Amino acid sequence: MSFLCKRCGLCAANCPAQAISAGGSMAVDGEKCIGCGACFALCPNRAVSIYTPKSVCFALLRRGGFYERLAEYAYAAQRGMRNVYINFAVNITANCDCVSKRMTPVMRDIGIFAGADAVAVDSACCAAAQAAGHRFKGTEQLRYAEKLGLGSTSYELVGV
């Protein structure tokens, strides 16, 4: 934990693996930590960082891989919140928009999707992309997110 930690104990109380000790100083047991990101998402003081060499290696190499960790982090970040999710399915490229280079769209714009269920919104986007003739990776990630309880792959599409 960092100097920003106020020892409120919120991270320890919400750690599903009981990997955080809330004694005299907060500490994470790397052997118990499952990399879910709950501590990162819940800390009101931003004292927990997921950007350490160990956490990056964990996310990339262990227990299913990077895409499963993304779903777990999304689940942790939105847990207990009421959100509206909006996907602008425009200028769609083959790579993630986090890639810092100019990319050419691989298909036409397919619209804007919105809803209170993140998994349903993403599932609708994937289905619309497939109907437009392009298939993206990610259906396994959506099923995993559904298994976690992040949302449902079922949806009702309502045009506006």
Side-chain angles (χ1 to χ4, degrees):
M1 298 292 157
S2 76
F3 67 92
L4 297 172
C5 180
K6 306 296 183 219
R7 292 171 183 58
C8 67
L10 192 60
C11 57
N14 288 281
C15 178
Q18 288 84 43
I20 302 173
S21 62
S25 65
M26 305 299 279
V28 177
D29 182 340
E31 294 300 314
K32 290 182 181 178
C33 178
I34 60 172
C36 71
C39 54
F40 172 77
L42 293 170
C43 182
N45 304 306
R46 297 182 181 216
V48 181
S49 174
I50 60 170
Y51 302 110
T52 64
K54 185 174 184 176
S55 67
V56 170
C57 287
F58 181 90
L60 294 173
L61 302 175
R62 288 184 61 197
R63 311 241 342 235
F66 179 70
Y67 295 108
E68 287 82 0
R69 298 294 81 78
L70 282 178
E72 291 169 0
Y73 296 149
Y75 176 74
Q78 66 81 46
R79 191 172 137 199
M81 297 183 179
R82 293 177 47 152
N83 297 316
V84 173
Y85 302 94
I86 303 171
N87 285 1
F88 290 84
V90 297
N91 297 320
I92 300 167
T93 61
N95 289 312
C96 176
D97 58 4
C98 63
V99 174
S100 61
K101 67 176 186 174
R102 186 170 178 81
M103 295 177 281
T104 304
V106 295
M107 62 182 293
R108 65 176 175 78
D109 296 348
I110 55 176
I112 300 171
F113 298 79
D117 181 328
V119 178
V121 170
D122 283 349
S123 293
C125 281
C126 283
Q130 188 170 359
H134 198 89
R135 188 170 180 84
F136 289 97
K137 295 177 183 175
T139 54
E140 302 85 16
Q141 182 179 2
L142 292 172
R143 284 193 295 273
Y144 184 71
E146 182 176 44
K147 181 179 169 187
L148 288 174
L150 180 58
S152 172
T153 55
S154 299
Y155 59 89
E156 178 184 350
L157 196 59
V158 177
V160 179

